[in-house]
DNA sequence: CAAAAGCATTGATTTGAATCAATGTGCTTT
DNA sequence: AAAGCACATTGATTCAAATCAATGCTTTTG
């Protein structure tokens, strides 16, 4: 059940059997049906979720009730409203399941205790957030400097598996475009 | 000379005198004149720089030789091309000084040794990157979902000191706008 | 199974930002 | 002090994406 999580963990910090067992005591599993919420805007985000199976999205809703996807979470990725999780402020994002999913759940107290007691867990956390930072910087750079066409190409190249599993209008949302515009961009690209 | 750096460090992880002295042995100071480069695109980024005094910017240059500012670094902030620093790949950003500046320099080997030997330094690093991640996520959310006017207002509210010290066309660049557009937006806002 | 909902596409029109161009102003720099 | 440059503003025009609207297709669901 925790296979992917520990695979991921081990690839970043080598753990002994005992260490793994110890960490396991802090984790819980959660299944989410398609369309179910993991987090709703306004609630405080209590957990970090590692996606063992399935797909989720984090998104905000603006005053015109347009959804803006800030992050996808597929197998092997972590998803949360980190700001809310860390500060205890109400979440500004919603997180829900795009497919039936299985999550490894780390509660706030578990996270804090692990950070305090297991140096390797802190290293793991540091490496994770660093990876997330670099991925986001890449996305930001591309938004600021590249054309929409290039951005779409980059997205497809970087995340082909997302493009296959997620409806197109959500990719448009992730890119900050309308579905119509993305459709036309795809058309333009394919006619080359 | 290292005042601000240690102030910052201490605010995140409480250090003893000895620990501070130990860390100091890993640091060097560097002064940069206005317009001098800390890093040029294509070179490998060898350092993380903490800004003690002055102001820097990290930016990329696109095929039409337009500059796109990805980050400002003022007093108390850290600036680097982290991807290049961590991977050893050539940098995709340029970093230069907007004013005469003083930097606390952490070399790659220093960074690695400190991470390995001083748990508190790792914690410091983790907290720093987490803060940077949250700031960037905020920026990204605003780009994807808010109007340019709101985005400019947010920027001014969040970083009033930057707005005061940095030429307007650089703020436009940071926002992914042309200077003309930002000028018009300011006009629109002020006429309310 | 039929109805409804969700999704992608296409077309016509509007809108907002980019581009091109010119001017004014204040700083450097010599 | 004069010349040159960097910067901000403003105007006119172009261009790209949003919006509004309609259609057909597929997937859910009652």
């Amino acid at each position: 059940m925790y296979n992917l999580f520990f695979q991921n963990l081990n690839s970043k910090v080598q753990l002994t059997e005992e260490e793994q067992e110890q960490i396991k005591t802090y984790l819980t599993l959660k299944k989410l049906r398609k369309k179910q919420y993991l987090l709703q805007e306004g609630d405080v985000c209590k957990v970090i979720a590692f996606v063992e199976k399935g797909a989720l999205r984090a998104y905000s809703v603006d005053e015109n009730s347009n959804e803006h996807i800030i992050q996808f979470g597929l197998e092997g990725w972590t998803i949360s409203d980190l700001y809310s999780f860390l500060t205890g402020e109400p979440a500004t994002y919603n997180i829900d399941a795009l497919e039936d999913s299985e999550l490894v759940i780390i509660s706030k107290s578990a996270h804090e205790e692990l950070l305090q007691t297991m140096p390797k867990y802190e290293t793991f956390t540091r490496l994770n957030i660093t990876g997330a930072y670099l991925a986001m910087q890449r996305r930001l750079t591309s938004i600021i400097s590249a054309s929409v066409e290039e951005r779409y190409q980059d997205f497809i190249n970087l995340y082909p598996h997302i493009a296959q599993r997620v409806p197109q209008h959500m990719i448009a949302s992730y890119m900050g475009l309308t579905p119509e515009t993305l459709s036309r961009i795809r058309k333009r690209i394919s006619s080359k």
Side-chain angles (χ1 to χ4, degrees), chain A:
Chain A
M1 299 299 275
Y2 297 91
N3 295 342
L4 196 53
F5 177 78
F6 281 106
Q7 195 180 306
N8 191 284
L9 188 49
N10 265 307
S11 76
K12 285 172 175 149
V13 287
Q14 195 63 32
L15 291 180
T16 66
E17 260 313 316
E18 302 91 69
E19 285 172 324
Q20 293 194 34
E21 287 308 315
Q22 193 201 333
I23 289 181
K24 219 174 231 174
T25 65
Y26 286 100
L27 306 174
T28 57
L29 274 180
K30 180 168 186 140
K31 292 192 183 193
L32 227 52
R33 286 276 167 72
K34 185 172 176 171
K35 298 200 179 180
Q36 265 193 305
Y37 285 107
L38 176 66
L39 172 71
Q40 281 184 276
E41 189 179 344
D43 293 349
V44 174
C45 181
K46 304 282 191 192
V47 302
I48 296 175
F50 176 89
V51 183
E52 274 282 325
K53 195 164 171 316
L56 292 83
R57 85 229 241 240
Y59 62 99
S60 63
V61 180
D62 68 21
E63 63 273 16
N64 311 319
S65 55
N66 288 117
E67 294 176 358
H68 303 279
I69 295 181
I70 183 84
Q71 194 202 335
F72 290 111
L74 270 63
E75 284 88 0
W77 282 86
T78 292
I79 198 162
S80 180
D81 181 333
L82 198 58
Y83 183 79
S84 171
F85 180 80
L86 294 174
T87 63
E89 296 284 313
T92 56
Y93 302 123
N94 301 277
I95 301 178
D96 64 15
L98 303 177
E99 306 171 1
D100 293 354
S101 301
E102 290 176 27
L103 308 174
V104 175
I105 297 293
I106 305 166
S107 70
K108 176 132 184 168
S109 57
H111 182 69
E112 281 169 354
E113 259 189 77
L114 283 167
L115 277 178
Q116 301 263 336
T117 56
M118 269 206 69
K120 281 181 186 171
Y121 182 81
E122 171 153 44
T123 301
F124 171 68
T125 301
R126 175 175 61 80
L127 293 175
N128 267 147
I129 186 79
T130 303
Y133 173 85
L134 293 176
M136 194 156 64
Q137 186 168 70
R138 184 171 178 159
R139 181 174 170 198
L140 186 67
T141 305
S142 142
I143 288 183
I144 289 184
S145 48
S147 72
V148 243
E149 254 156 68
E150 288 167 317
R151 282 170 55 204
Y152 180 69
Q153 299 275 22
D154 289 352
F155 177 82
I156 295 295
N157 292 333
L158 196 55
Y159 303 115
H161 43 295
I162 298 185
Q164 277 161 15
R165 275 168 73 176
V166 161
Q168 204 171 291
H169 72 271
M170 289 194 184
I171 294 171
S173 167
Y174 179 85
M175 294 182 64
L177 301 176
T178 60
E180 294 96 326
T181 297
L182 183 56
S183 172
R184 285 184 247 261
I185 283 163
R186 280 163 52 85
K187 197 182 175 186
R188 256 187 279 161
I189 289 173
S190 70
S191 73
K192 284 181 188 167

